[in-house]
């Protein structure tokens, strides 16, 4: 699937040089874009495809009372700059007062900008979220943001491919977040470096779109360049009727085209990782990176149990930072506060699950 998308977006390639890829959707936010827009001004350039560029106020947006002034001066400068830049260059902006404003890689799916077969970029590391729809989506840096704004292309060396196949059926209480944490626990935070991951298997196919977005979102934590899931009926039903998606007969025609994106039977990946989904448990991270993960029925590790001196030192530092004692049962760790809200979770499935727990704890 990845190679189909890559090949269809090649603008120019030559041996030993990055390939120039066409970009179908460029999502912009206030943190990584000010310098990029200033670069356009200094060179007298315009945004090449304003119709393929969408901006939203994201990282610095207050979440409580929008009528109050922003007290962080840097946050205010970045938000004000985004508004001015979008007005000057003619870019659609969902500012902090817009009812459609939100996390940059959440509003794409919600509004239907995210579609199968697209190459999508954003100055945010978790842009791989969009891969849940069968898109090739990746985070880029500020200099690359300027390049895409000016040319609607991106220079990239072609990554390798990795299939992560999650078989079986998930036990009760095991979620998409548990699946991806167990994957990262198995391959490590650098296990997919240089690869685009395609997630396959019964467990992935049975997930909602929200669950698939959670899995693809965290591909970067495993070192992956991007994460992808082939579009299917679950994808199409989620997309149907959304604002930026083709409507009526055009939607049906698009679906037939999108179905062809799936990896062909017998295709070979550069590497394969298999996970038995039926054996998974709920997972948590006990340390300072997503690779420091364990089932909730296990214990906090003992640094002395590691043979490698580097691992022993890093685990010791992580436990000290987290204030945890070695060999403590995970279930004995007291929760001081539960926060629901991030670019990985806080989706409707997560909020409903949290509501069920809260309802049960109150005896209702």
């Amino acid at each position: 699937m990845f190679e189909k998308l890559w090949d269809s977006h090649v603008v120019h390639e030559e041996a030993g040089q990055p390939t120039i890829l066409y970009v179908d959707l460029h999502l912009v936010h206030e943190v990584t874009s000010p310098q990029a827009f200033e670069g356009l001004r200094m060179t007298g350039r315009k945004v090449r495809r304003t119709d393929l560029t969408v901006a939203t106020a994201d990282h610095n947006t207050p979440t409580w009372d929008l009528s109050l002034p922003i007290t962080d001066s840097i946050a205010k400068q970045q938000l004000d700059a985004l508004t001015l830049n979008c007005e000057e260059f003619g870019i659609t902006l969902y500012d902090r007062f817009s009812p459609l404003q939100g996390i940059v890689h959440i509003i794409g799916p919600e509004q239907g900008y995210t579609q199968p077969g697209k190459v999508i970029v954003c100055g945010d590391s978790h842009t791989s979220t969009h891969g849940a729809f069968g898109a090739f989506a990746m985070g880029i840096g500020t200099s690359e943001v300027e390049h895409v704004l000016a040319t609607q292309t991106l220079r990239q060396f072609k990554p390798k491919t990795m299939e992560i196949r999650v078989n079986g059926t998930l036990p009760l209480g095991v979620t998409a977040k548990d699946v991806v944490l167990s994957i990262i626990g198995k391959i490590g935070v650098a296990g997919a470096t240089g690869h685009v991951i395609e997630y396959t298997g019964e467990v992935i196919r049975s997930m909602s779109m929200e669950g698939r977005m959670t899995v693809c979102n965290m591909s970067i934590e495993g070192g992956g360049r991007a994460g992808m899931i082939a579009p299917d009926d679950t994808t199409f039903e989620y997309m149907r009727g959304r604002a930026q998606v083709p409507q009526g007969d055009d939607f049906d025609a698009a679906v037939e085209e999108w179905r062809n994106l799936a990896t062909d039977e017998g295709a070979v990946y550069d590497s394969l990782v298999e996970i038995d989904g039926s054996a998974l448990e709920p997972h948590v991270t006990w340390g300072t990176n997503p690779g420091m993960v364990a089932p909730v029925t296990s214990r906090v590790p003992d640094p002395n149990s590691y043979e490698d001196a580097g691992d022993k030192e890093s685990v010791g530092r992580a436990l000290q930072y987290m204030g945890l004692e070695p060999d403590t049962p995970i279930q004995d760790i007291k929760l001081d506060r539960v926060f629901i809200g991030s670019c990985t979770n806080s989706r409707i499935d997560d909020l409903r699950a949290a509501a069920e727990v809260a309802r049960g704890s109150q005896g209702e």
Side-chain angles (χ1 to χ4, degrees), residues 11-32:
V11 175
H12 178 76
E13 59 184 348
E14 57 182 276
Q17 296 296 319
T19 298
I20 300 177
L21 290 180
Y22 194 78
V23 173
D24 299 300
L25 175 64
H26 185 191
L27 296 165
V28 176
H29 61 82
E30 74 275 16
V31 177
T32 54

PDB file of all heavy atoms in Angstrom, residues 11-32:
ATOM      1  N   VAL A  11       7.258  13.273  -8.074  1.00  0.00           N
ATOM      2  CA  VAL A  11       7.404  14.362  -9.042  1.00  0.00           C
ATOM      3  C   VAL A  11       8.727  14.222  -9.786  1.00  0.00           C
ATOM      4  O   VAL A  11       8.807  14.397 -10.999  1.00  0.00           O
ATOM      5  CB  VAL A  11       7.329  15.731  -8.339  1.00  0.00           C
ATOM      6  CG1 VAL A  11       7.613  16.870  -9.330  1.00  0.00           C
ATOM      7  CG2 VAL A  11       5.976  15.916  -7.673  1.00  0.00           C
ATOM      8  N   HIS A  12       9.784  13.895  -9.029  1.00  0.00           N
ATOM      9  CA  HIS A  12      11.107  13.731  -9.636  1.00  0.00           C
ATOM     10  C   HIS A  12      11.962  12.870  -8.717  1.00  0.00           C
ATOM     11  O   HIS A  12      11.869  12.967  -7.494  1.00  0.00           O
ATOM     12  CB  HIS A  12      11.788  15.093  -9.833  1.00  0.00           C
ATOM     13  CG  HIS A  12      13.171  14.994 -10.402  1.00  0.00           C
ATOM     14  ND1 HIS A  12      13.414  14.722 -11.736  1.00  0.00           N
ATOM     15  CD2 HIS A  12      14.394  15.102  -9.819  1.00  0.00           C
ATOM     16  CE1 HIS A  12      14.719  14.695 -11.954  1.00  0.00           C
ATOM     17  NE2 HIS A  12      15.335  14.910 -10.803  1.00  0.00           N
ATOM     18  N   GLU A  13      12.776  12.008  -9.309  1.00  0.00           N
ATOM     19  CA  GLU A  13      13.720  11.224  -8.514  1.00  0.00           C
ATOM     20  C   GLU A  13      14.973  10.952  -9.325  1.00  0.00           C
ATOM     21  O   GLU A  13      14.930  10.843 -10.554  1.00  0.00           O
ATOM     22  CB  GLU A  13      13.087   9.908  -8.048  1.00  0.00           C
ATOM     23  CG  GLU A  13      12.592   8.995  -9.143  1.00  0.00           C
ATOM     24  CD  GLU A  13      11.899   7.755  -8.592  1.00  0.00           C
ATOM     25  OE1 GLU A  13      12.004   7.499  -7.379  1.00  0.00           O
ATOM     26  OE2 GLU A  13      11.256   7.032  -9.384  1.00  0.00           O
ATOM     27  N   GLU A  14      16.098  10.894  -8.612  1.00  0.00           N
ATOM     28  CA  GLU A  14      17.372  10.527  -9.226  1.00  0.00           C
ATOM     29  C   GLU A  14      18.220   9.831  -8.179  1.00  0.00           C
ATOM     30  O   GLU A  14      18.045  10.044  -6.965  1.00  0.00           O
ATOM     31  CB  GLU A  14      18.080  11.750  -9.783  1.00  0.00           C
ATOM     32  CG  GLU A  14      18.358  12.852  -8.791  1.00  0.00           C
ATOM     33  CD  GLU A  14      19.010  14.049  -9.441  1.00  0.00           C
ATOM     34  OE1 GLU A  14      20.246  14.020  -9.593  1.00  0.00           O
ATOM     35  OE2 GLU A  14      18.287  15.006  -9.802  1.00  0.00           O
ATOM     36  N   ALA A  15      19.093   8.983  -8.634  1.00  0.00           N
ATOM     37  CA  ALA A  15      19.896   8.144  -7.750  1.00  0.00           C
ATOM     38  C   ALA A  15      20.697   8.980  -6.753  1.00  0.00           C
ATOM     39  O   ALA A  15      21.298   9.998  -7.113  1.00  0.00           O
ATOM     40  CB  ALA A  15      20.841   7.273  -8.569  1.00  0.00           C
ATOM     41  N   GLY A  16      20.654   8.536  -5.487  1.00  0.00           N
ATOM     42  CA  GLY A  16      21.444   9.179  -4.449  1.00  0.00           C
ATOM     43  C   GLY A  16      20.873  10.458  -3.896  1.00  0.00           C
ATOM     44  O   GLY A  16      21.477  11.084  -3.024  1.00  0.00           O
ATOM     45  N   GLN A  17      19.716  10.884  -4.394  1.00  0.00           N
ATOM     46  CA  GLN A  17      19.094  12.126  -3.950  1.00  0.00           C
ATOM     47  C   GLN A  17      17.693  11.857  -3.391  1.00  0.00           C
ATOM     48  O   GLN A  17      17.051  10.866  -3.760  1.00  0.00           O
ATOM     49  CB  GLN A  17      18.986  13.115  -5.114  1.00  0.00           C
ATOM     50  CG  GLN A  17      20.320  13.566  -5.670  1.00  0.00           C
ATOM     51  CD  GLN A  17      21.130  14.350  -4.666  1.00  0.00           C
ATOM     52  OE1 GLN A  17      20.592  15.180  -3.921  1.00  0.00           O
ATOM     53  NE2 GLN A  17      22.432  14.087  -4.617  1.00  0.00           N
ATOM     54  N   PRO A  18      17.221  12.725  -2.500  1.00  0.00           N
ATOM     55  CA  PRO A  18      15.850  12.555  -2.016  1.00  0.00           C
ATOM     56  C   PRO A  18      14.855  12.675  -3.167  1.00  0.00           C
ATOM     57  O   PRO A  18      15.057  13.458  -4.102  1.00  0.00           O
ATOM     58  CB  PRO A  18      15.666  13.702  -1.015  1.00  0.00           C
ATOM     59  CG  PRO A  18      17.049  14.146  -0.669  1.00  0.00           C
ATOM     60  CD  PRO A  18      17.889  13.882  -1.878  1.00  0.00           C
ATOM     61  N   THR A  19      13.809  11.890  -3.105  1.00  0.00           N
ATOM     62  CA  THR A  19      12.730  11.979  -4.086  1.00  0.00           C
ATOM     63  C   THR A  19      11.878  13.209  -3.791  1.00  0.00           C
ATOM     64  O   THR A  19      11.660  13.561  -2.633  1.00  0.00           O
ATOM     65  CB  THR A  19      11.849  10.721  -4.021  1.00  0.00           C
ATOM     66  OG1 THR A  19      12.654   9.591  -4.355  1.00  0.00           O
ATOM     67  CG2 THR A  19      10.674  10.812  -4.979  1.00  0.00           C
ATOM     68  N   ILE A  20      11.407  13.869  -4.828  1.00  0.00           N
ATOM     69  CA  ILE A  20      10.477  14.982  -4.658  1.00  0.00           C
ATOM     70  C   ILE A  20       9.064  14.428  -4.768  1.00  0.00           C
ATOM     71  O   ILE A  20       8.671  13.877  -5.801  1.00  0.00           O
ATOM     72  CB  ILE A  20      10.712  16.077  -5.706  1.00  0.00           C
ATOM     73  CG1 ILE A  20      12.129  16.633  -5.582  1.00  0.00           C
ATOM     74  CG2 ILE A  20       9.693  17.206  -5.539  1.00  0.00           C
ATOM     75  CD1 ILE A  20      12.473  17.666  -6.621  1.00  0.00           C
ATOM     76  N   LEU A  21       8.296  14.532  -3.666  1.00  0.00           N
ATOM     77  CA  LEU A  21       6.933  14.010  -3.607  1.00  0.00           C
ATOM     78  C   LEU A  21       5.919  15.140  -3.641  1.00  0.00           C
ATOM     79  O   LEU A  21       6.126  16.200  -3.024  1.00  0.00           O
ATOM     80  CB  LEU A  21       6.716  13.216  -2.314  1.00  0.00           C
ATOM     81  CG  LEU A  21       7.408  11.869  -2.141  1.00  0.00           C
ATOM     82  CD1 LEU A  21       7.018  11.293  -0.786  1.00  0.00           C
ATOM     83  CD2 LEU A  21       7.024  10.914  -3.257  1.00  0.00           C
ATOM     84  N   TYR A  22       4.809  14.911  -4.325  1.00  0.00           N
ATOM     85  CA  TYR A  22       3.708  15.871  -4.306  1.00  0.00           C
ATOM     86  C   TYR A  22       2.922  15.710  -3.011  1.00  0.00           C
ATOM     87  O   TYR A  22       2.721  14.591  -2.526  1.00  0.00           O
ATOM     88  CB  TYR A  22       2.785  15.676  -5.502  1.00  0.00           C
ATOM     89  CG  TYR A  22       1.847  16.843  -5.697  1.00  0.00           C
ATOM     90  CD1 TYR A  22       2.300  18.020  -6.279  1.00  0.00           C
ATOM     91  CD2 TYR A  22       0.525  16.781  -5.283  1.00  0.00           C
ATOM     92  CE1 TYR A  22       1.464  19.113  -6.445  1.00  0.00           C
ATOM     93  CE2 TYR A  22      -0.334  17.858  -5.447  1.00  0.00           C
ATOM     94  CZ  TYR A  22       0.146  19.026  -6.025  1.00  0.00           C
ATOM     95  OH  TYR A  22      -0.690  20.099  -6.186  1.00  0.00           O
ATOM     96  N   VAL A  23       2.475  16.816  -2.454  1.00  0.00           N
ATOM     97  CA  VAL A  23       1.731  16.815  -1.198  1.00  0.00           C
ATOM     98  C   VAL A  23       0.273  17.176  -1.471  1.00  0.00           C
ATOM     99  O   VAL A  23      -0.015  18.208  -2.086  1.00  0.00           O
ATOM    100  CB  VAL A  23       2.350  17.812  -0.189  1.00  0.00           C
ATOM    101  CG1 VAL A  23       1.477  17.936   1.050  1.00  0.00           C
ATOM    102  CG2 VAL A  23       3.772  17.370   0.185  1.00  0.00           C
ATOM    103  N   ASP A  24      -0.646  16.323  -0.998  1.00  0.00           N
ATOM    104  CA  ASP A  24      -2.079  16.552  -1.228  1.00  0.00           C
ATOM    105  C   ASP A  24      -2.720  17.443  -0.177  1.00  0.00           C
ATOM    106  O   ASP A  24      -3.717  18.111  -0.449  1.00  0.00           O
ATOM    107  CB  ASP A  24      -2.831  15.217  -1.230  1.00  0.00           C
ATOM    108  CG  ASP A  24      -2.362  14.289  -2.327  1.00  0.00           C
ATOM    109  OD1 ASP A  24      -2.457  14.673  -3.498  1.00  0.00           O
ATOM    110  OD2 ASP A  24      -1.895  13.174  -2.007  1.00  0.00           O
ATOM    111  N   LEU A  25      -2.174  17.426   1.044  1.00  0.00           N
ATOM    112  CA  LEU A  25      -2.764  18.208   2.130  1.00  0.00           C
ATOM    113  C   LEU A  25      -1.655  18.646   3.079  1.00  0.00           C
ATOM    114  O   LEU A  25      -0.882  17.821   3.558  1.00  0.00           O
ATOM    115  CB  LEU A  25      -3.800  17.372   2.891  1.00  0.00           C
ATOM    116  CG  LEU A  25      -4.419  18.021   4.135  1.00  0.00           C
ATOM    117  CD1 LEU A  25      -5.225  19.262   3.754  1.00  0.00           C
ATOM    118  CD2 LEU A  25      -5.309  17.021   4.883  1.00  0.00           C
ATOM    119  N   HIS A  26      -1.603  19.947   3.330  1.00  0.00           N
ATOM    120  CA  HIS A  26      -0.633  20.506   4.270  1.00  0.00           C
ATOM    121  C   HIS A  26      -1.402  21.146   5.421  1.00  0.00           C
ATOM    122  O   HIS A  26      -2.128  22.120   5.242  1.00  0.00           O
ATOM    123  CB  HIS A  26       0.241  21.551   3.563  1.00  0.00           C
ATOM    124  CG  HIS A  26       1.335  22.095   4.437  1.00  0.00           C
ATOM    125  ND1 HIS A  26       2.087  23.195   4.087  1.00  0.00           N
ATOM    126  CD2 HIS A  26       1.814  21.687   5.644  1.00  0.00           C
ATOM    127  CE1 HIS A  26       2.979  23.432   5.036  1.00  0.00           C
ATOM    128  NE2 HIS A  26       2.826  22.528   5.984  1.00  0.00           N
ATOM    129  N   LEU A  27      -1.247  20.563   6.613  1.00  0.00           N
ATOM    130  CA  LEU A  27      -1.893  21.081   7.809  1.00  0.00           C
ATOM    131  C   LEU A  27      -0.896  21.941   8.583  1.00  0.00           C
ATOM    132  O   LEU A  27       0.241  21.532   8.821  1.00  0.00           O
ATOM    133  CB  LEU A  27      -2.392  19.920   8.678  1.00  0.00           C
ATOM    134  CG  LEU A  27      -3.480  19.068   8.019  1.00  0.00           C
ATOM    135  CD1 LEU A  27      -3.664  17.757   8.766  1.00  0.00           C
ATOM    136  CD2 LEU A  27      -4.800  19.827   7.960  1.00  0.00           C
ATOM    137  N   VAL A  28      -1.336  23.127   8.976  1.00  0.00           N
ATOM    138  CA  VAL A  28      -0.448  24.119   9.576  1.00  0.00           C
ATOM    139  C   VAL A  28      -0.963  24.499  10.959  1.00  0.00           C
ATOM    140  O   VAL A  28      -2.182  24.596  11.171  1.00  0.00           O
ATOM    141  CB  VAL A  28      -0.383  25.378   8.674  1.00  0.00           C
ATOM    142  CG1 VAL A  28       0.459  26.480   9.316  1.00  0.00           C
ATOM    143  CG2 VAL A  28       0.153  25.021   7.291  1.00  0.00           C
ATOM    144  N   HIS A  29      -0.053  24.704  11.903  1.00  0.00           N
ATOM    145  CA  HIS A  29      -0.445  25.240  13.209  1.00  0.00           C
ATOM    146  C   HIS A  29       0.507  26.359  13.606  1.00  0.00           C
ATOM    147  O   HIS A  29       1.433  26.709  12.863  1.00  0.00           O
ATOM    148  CB  HIS A  29      -0.518  24.134  14.268  1.00  0.00           C
ATOM    149  CG  HIS A  29       0.774  23.426  14.498  1.00  0.00           C
ATOM    150  ND1 HIS A  29       1.768  23.919  15.303  1.00  0.00           N
ATOM    151  CD2 HIS A  29       1.232  22.235  14.030  1.00  0.00           C
ATOM    152  CE1 HIS A  29       2.775  23.070  15.339  1.00  0.00           C
ATOM    153  NE2 HIS A  29       2.496  22.046  14.559  1.00  0.00           N
ATOM    154  N   GLU A  30       0.314  26.909  14.796  1.00  0.00           N
ATOM    155  CA  GLU A  30       0.983  28.158  15.157  1.00  0.00           C
ATOM    156  C   GLU A  30       2.436  28.014  15.611  1.00  0.00           C
ATOM    157  O   GLU A  30       3.175  29.006  15.632  1.00  0.00           O
ATOM    158  CB  GLU A  30       0.187  28.880  16.260  1.00  0.00           C
ATOM    159  CG  GLU A  30       0.278  28.279  17.660  1.00  0.00           C
ATOM    160  CD  GLU A  30      -0.707  27.159  17.895  1.00  0.00           C
ATOM    161  OE1 GLU A  30      -1.268  26.630  16.903  1.00  0.00           O
ATOM    162  OE2 GLU A  30      -0.907  26.801  19.051  1.00  0.00           O
ATOM    163  N   VAL A  31       2.879  26.809  15.955  1.00  0.00           N
ATOM    164  CA  VAL A  31       4.209  26.668  16.550  1.00  0.00           C
ATOM    165  C   VAL A  31       5.309  26.579  15.503  1.00  0.00           C
ATOM    166  O   VAL A  31       6.338  27.254  15.615  1.00  0.00           O
ATOM    167  CB  VAL A  31       4.254  25.437  17.486  1.00  0.00           C
ATOM    168  CG1 VAL A  31       5.660  25.248  18.051  1.00  0.00           C
ATOM    169  CG2 VAL A  31       3.246  25.600  18.624  1.00  0.00           C
ATOM    170  N   THR A  32       5.127  25.765  14.479  1.00  0.00           N
ATOM    171  CA  THR A  32       6.200  25.531  13.502  1.00  0.00           C
ATOM    172  C   THR A  32       6.057  26.368  12.230  1.00  0.00           C
ATOM    173  O   THR A  32       6.856  26.210  11.303  1.00  0.00           O
ATOM    174  CB  THR A  32       6.246  24.044  13.101  1.00  0.00           C
ATOM    175  OG1 THR A  32       4.952  23.637  12.637  1.00  0.00           O
ATOM    176  CG2 THR A  32       6.654  23.175  14.287  1.00  0.00           C
TER     177      THR A  32
END
